[in-house]
Amino acid sequence: MERRFPNVSRPAKSFSSFRNVLRGCLASLAAFFLYLLLPAPLLAGTTVLTPVILQLKWKHQFQFAGYYAAIEKGYYRDAGLMVTLREAVQGADPTEAVLSGDAQFGVGGSSLVLVRAEGKPVVALAAILQHSPVGILSLSGSNIRNIHDLAGKRIMLEPKPAEIMALLKAEGVADDAVSTVPHELSLDKLLNGEVDAVSVYSTTEPYQLDKRKIAYNIISPERSGIDFYGDTLFTSQDVIQKQPDMVRQFRAASLRGWKYALEHQDEMIDLILKRYNSTHLTRGQLAYEAVEIDKLIRPDLVEIGYMNPGRWQHIVDTYSKLGIIPPSKPSFMKGFLYSGEQPRFPGWLYGALAGALAVIVAVSTIAIRFHYLNVALKDLMQLRDKAEEKLRKLSAAITQSPVSIVITDTSGVIEYVNPKFCELTGYAAEEVVGQNSRILRGSIQSPEFYGNLWRTIFSGGLWRGEFLNKKKNDELFWEHATIAPIWNAQGELNNFIAIKEDITERKMLQEKLDHMAHHDELTGLPNRALFFDRIWQALAHAKRNDTGFALMFVDLDGFKGINDTYGHDSGDLLLQETAQRLAGCIRDSDTVARMGGDEFAVMLLDVGTPGHIHQVADKMLALLSAPFLLKGAECHVGASIGISVFPQDGDAVDTLMNMADMAMYRVKQGAKNNYAFAS
């Protein structure tokens, strides 16, 4: 029997029909998925913007430029948000505003982990400043040069100054050793003498004082190993749970705004001057702040907003070690760092959708296999070309960099150096690759110095500091280095990169300025300020070790007559010769200083018996009684010397100085050219 078949289309048309049907099914299913996955407001076509409040931690300035940019460029509006920026007010805490629901987002610092440790559900969204600009500023006249000088002083602090308190604890300064007052967001109380020091940002207040030519000192927590994140964008767990899409969109728009702000700093300064200048900042001040903020964000090394879990854990460990965070459950940090993954549907629905998609993929694979292979191959080739171009640019940037760049493995063995390194050190690249970076050391630093360095970079942080290094020809030079970790695609630490700048000339100039600030220009001896500093040290040493020391006030007899007779040039020569003769009477551990005019002071350390003091005083009188030859003229002077001894003449610096001064005046009023003890 003949078998009959119905008419059918040619194979090509059959496949084409199948493909059209398949496309129709895919389009329908895609529309269904889109309906499920898109937020309801978008499906409804609404244009209503969600109101959001961001609580700032300070007054308007470049510190918040990224948020201004996100508003001005419409990034928040594109995300469906209407954002209000709220300035800080005296005594206000951004974390309290967010936790109370008064604001959805805030800008905080490393103290966020302390709030989290208290059980409050704050969540860090993005670290804007990779390094904190916080410091303690005092005027130079206050003689506050280090953290220990703050004992007994009045300090104006902002709310929850965690890094400052960590610095005090790290240096062993007791909590009740300083008196704190609330920050008024200005330097007025410091300049008026109502407080002795104030917490500041290195990006802001120094400019104000530099402009007014007011000398100051800044104590940075970083010098004591307190190198934490600075400004950090945060919210609460409640906001994330209720509005996950809003949080994700706000974070993305904010980081986009920061990228724009850093790339268009002049435009942002114009915007702040026009719309956000509530404190009447100048263009110069904003430009200064922009440069300093860029250094702290480091967009050239780190993606804006990046947070390293290891570095946050290092911050927690530091606070715990100092006793600021008490022992608690180790899980309090769980959920502190924002992940951005918020499910919209129950797990079973995702499983069903995944199964449906698997069936569709299986059915469609054969029909469209070659098409996707061609598209994928084309995309891969484009990605490869872009990657190669990016690598060429990065290679050129490193090769042509005006600063030294060194890449090592995790044990410090050098793997790469750029041409600037070779130019500066005199080494060829092949001479140092494979060598440990220790070959460059020009001096031995303390174990604590290198311990802090390795702890910082192994925990994912940036280390910044200065080295005295050695060139190939053994010439010593100073470098300022920034060392950062490099992670591979699997999140493993496998290299470190050091970016180094030669600061030898700057260092020499600073040393010269420091010497001029603490030494007499005519004689080269320590001046009054340095002498008093050494007395304080001697007093602390003597009390700690139960030893004695002596102060000697030396006033020349007959100097005015020589000055008037032979002129000031001869008088200066006599003072210089006097300084040399006095210096020849003491040990290296003792100090001779010029207090002003023809007055000198001497400090003798570790004097056990009066015999040594008598011996030094007799030698001084003998040497100063010898004739001075000044421009061919023989001149004679004498000396009146007053002596006080710790502890019998007093246990305070002022007391000892006054006692020596009075003893000197007794000699001056008598026969002169002699010495006398205070008691």
Side-chain angles (χ1 to χ4, degrees):
M1 179 184 299
E2 182 180 1
R3 184 175 295 176
R4 298 180 180 274
F5 297 90
N7 290 332
V8 295
S9 302
R10 290 178 295 174
K13 290 185 177 179
S14 176
F15 177 75
S16 176
S17 300
F18 166 74
R19 184 171 61 187
N20 291 336
V21 172
L22 180 61
R23 285 178 175 172
C25 292
L26 287 173
S28 299
L29 195 57
F32 171 69
F33 289 157
L34 187 63
Y35 174 79
L36 288 176
L37 297 175
L38 280 179
L42 294 181
L43 292 175
T46 180
T47 58
V48 176
L49 300 179
T50 301
V52 169
I53 294 177
L54 170 60
Q55 177 63 61
L56 307 179
K57 63 184 298 189
W58 204 256
K59 297 293 185 180
H60 285 309
Q61 54 191 44
F62 200 92
Q63 180 183 351
F64 310 112
Y67 310 116
Y68 308 148
I71 292 176
E72 180 71 12
K73 308 312 293 185
Y75 301 153
Y76 287 139
R77 183 176 62 252
D78 294 344
L81 305 174
M82 182 176 64
V83 176
T84 299
L85 304 180
R86 191 161 62 193
E87 285 186 300
V89 295
Q90 182 182 353
D93 181 5
T95 57
E96 295 300 328
V98 172
L99 291 172
S100 67
D102 192 35
Q104 288 75 35
F105 300 95
V107 178
S110 62
S111 60
L112 288 171
V113 296
L114 305 183
V115 179
R116 185 78 182 194
E118 295 172 357
K120 298 177 181 178
V122 293
V123 178
L125 298 176
I128 304 302
L129 302 186
Q130 293 296 315
H131 297 278
S132 174
V134 171
I136 302 176
L137 184 144
S138 61
L139 302 182
S140 292
S142 67
N143 290 322
I144 298 176
R145 297 184 180 87
N146 57 58
I147 197 68
H148 299 284
D149 293 337
L150 291 173
K153 305 294 186 182
R154 299 156 299 171
I155 311 177
M156 187 163 62
L157 298 178
E158 59 185 294
K160 296 186 183 298
E163 290 165 76
I164 301 299
M165 303 313 295
L167 172 60
L168 294 172
K169 285 185 176 291
E171 294 293 338
V173 179
D175 293 341
D176 57 357
V178 297
S179 174
T180 63
V181 298
H183 211 300
E184 294 189 351
L185 311 184
S186 77
L187 296 177
D188 291 344
K189 280 196 171 182
L190 178 69
L191 297 176
N192 294 335
E194 297 179 52
V195 296
D196 303 296
V198 57
S199 63
V200 298
Y201 264 28
S202 63
T203 57
T204 307
E205 285 82 0
Y207 176 87
Q208 302 174 19
L209 298 181
D210 289 340
K211 193 72 174 176
R212 299 168 66 174
K213 296 183 179 180
I214 298 175
Y216 59 88
N217 299 314
I218 291 185
I219 302 171
S220 171
E222 186 177 349
R223 295 182 182 177
S224 299
I226 313 296
D227 184 16
F228 294 166
Y229 283 123
D231 285 6
T232 299
L233 187 63
F234 73 96
T235 187
S236 69
Q237 191 66 48
D238 183 62
V239 173
I240 293 176
Q241 290 175 348
K242 292 179 179 178
Q243 298 175 287
D245 288 325
M246 184 271 287
V247 173
R248 184 175 62 256
Q249 292 161 355
F250 178 83
R251 180 182 184 275
S254 298
L255 297 183
R256 187 180 175 192
W258 268 112
K259 184 176 186 300
Y260 186 91
L262 295 179
E263 293 173 351
H264 303 82
Q265 295 182 14
D266 289 339
E267 180 183 336
M268 287 299 100
I269 291 173
D270 290 338
L271 177 63
I272 295 171
L273 291 173
K274 181 179 179 181
R275 299 188 182 177
Y276 297 98
N277 199 11
S278 59
T279 54
H280 308 293
L281 302 175
T282 65
R283 178 176 295 277
Q285 184 167 355
L286 290 171
Y288 174 90
E289 184 187 5
V291 172
E292 297 301 316
I293 286 289
D294 190 88
K295 293 178 183 178
L296 297 172
I297 295 178
R298 295 312 304 266
D300 54 331
L301 293 177
V302 182
E303 181 181 0
I304 298 175
Y306 173 73
M307 296 189 296
N308 184 288
R311 191 168 177 207
W312 275 113
Q313 187 59 50
H314 169 69
I315 295 173
V316 173
D317 294 342
T318 300
Y319 282 138
S320 298
K321 180 180 178 181
L322 297 173
I324 297 176
I325 295 180
S328 59
K329 296 180 180 179
S331 60
F332 82 85
M333 285 291 287
K334 184 178 180 181
F336 173 68
L337 299 184
Y338 176 69
S339 66
E341 299 176 0
Q342 298 295 330
R344 295 190 187 89
F345 305 103
W348 65 264
L349 180 55
Y350 280 103
L353 294 177
L357 286 173
V359 172
I360 294 172
V361 171
V363 172
S364 61
T365 298
I366 298 175
I368 59 177
R369 178 179 179 82
F370 292 105
H371 170 73
Y372 281 112
L373 283 175
N374 288 334
V375 172
L377 181 59
K378 182 179 179 181
D379 289 343
L380 286 174
M381 292 177 66
Q382 291 177 345
L383 288 174
R384 182 201 64 187
D385 292 341
K386 290 181 180 179
E388 289 179 350
E389 177 62 24
K390 186 174 183 180
L391 285 175
R392 281 194 293 270
K393 290 181 180 179
L394 289 174
S395 177
I398 292 175
T399 301
Q400 301 171 27
S401 172
V403 296
S404 295
I405 296 178
V406 180
I407 298 177
T408 72
D409 65 12
T410 54
S411 62
V413 175
I414 298 173
E415 296 184 357
Y416 170 84
V417 294
N418 71 338
K420 184 63 177 181
F421 170 90
C422 299
E423 175 190 335
L424 177 62
T425 64
Y427 284 105
E430 55 270 18
E431 291 179 300
V432 293
V433 171
Q435 299 284 337
N436 194 285
S437 56
R438 286 191 297 268
I439 66 171
L440 301 171
R441 291 184 188 174
S443 64
I444 302 300
Q445 295 280 8
S446 66
E448 292 78 11
F449 177 88
Y450 288 106
N452 173 60
L453 187 158
W454 287 108
R455 280 193 302 273
T456 299
I457 58 180
F458 267 113
S459 65
L462 292 180
W463 182 91
R464 291 180 292 178
E466 297 177 355
F467 293 108
L468 180 61
N469 281 343
K470 182 172 59 176
K471 299 181 181 181
K472 183 179 179 179
N473 62 2
D474 291 335
E475 178 185 346
L476 298 177
F477 68 105
W478 282 97
E479 284 188 305
H480 182 276
T482 299
I483 304 177
I486 301 176
W487 311 84
N488 62 18
Q490 290 73 42
E492 300 169 336
L493 178 64
N494 56 1
N495 286 101
F496 297 114
I497 181 170
I499 301 174
K500 305 190 293 180
E501 179 186 6
D502 183 3
I503 59 170
T504 305
E505 291 186 5
R506 186 195 315 169
K507 199 78 174 176
M508 293 174 63
L509 177 59
Q510 185 60 50
E511 290 177 357
K512 182 177 180 180
L513 293 174
D514 289 344
H515 185 274
M516 291 173 61
H518 296 94
H519 290 79
D520 176 51
E521 184 178 0
L522 177 64
T523 64
L525 294 177
N527 60 15
R528 176 183 293 269
L530 181 55
F531 187 70
F532 271 85
D533 185 64
R534 292 186 180 178
I535 296 176
W536 281 105
Q537 296 179 29
L539 184 62
H541 172 80
K543 289 181 177 180
R544 185 168 56 250
N545 297 281
D546 195 22
T547 59
F549 71 92
L551 296 181
M552 308 175 72
F553 270 23
V554 182
D555 187 87
L556 296 182
D557 299 328
F559 173 75
K560 185 178 184 302
I562 293 175
N563 217 23
D564 294 342
T565 302
Y566 298 101
H568 292 291
D569 290 345
S570 294
D572 289 346
L573 290 175
L574 189 145
L575 291 174
Q576 291 172 338
E577 178 66 22
T578 298
Q580 295 178 12
R581 295 185 185 186
L582 290 175
C585 298
I586 62 173
R587 303 163 297 183
D588 291 341
S589 58
D590 301 328
T591 299
V592 57
R594 184 186 178 200
M595 305 299 282
D598 61 344
E599 294 181 352
F600 295 83
V602 178
M603 180 171 61
L604 305 178
L605 296 179
D606 298 323
V607 290
T609 62
H612 175 67
I613 305 174
H614 282 285
Q615 182 180 1
V616 173
D618 288 334
K619 187 175 181 180
M620 287 180 179
L621 290 177
L623 286 176
L624 295 178
S625 297
F628 290 81
L629 189 62
L630 307 175
K631 295 183 178 181
E634 187 176 285
C635 303
H636 295 269
V637 296
S640 298
I641 303 175
I643 305 169
S644 65
V645 182
F646 172 85
Q648 51 262 47
D649 292 327
D651 60 357
V653 172
D654 292 343
T655 303
L656 292 169
M657 295 289 287
N658 290 333
M659 295 290 282
D661 192 43
M662 288 189 292
M664 184 268 290
Y665 271 103
R666 289 204 307 271
V667 176
K668 201 80 171 173
Q669 293 169 356
K672 299 185 179 181
N673 198 34
N674 203 347
Y675 63 86
F677 285 82
S679 60

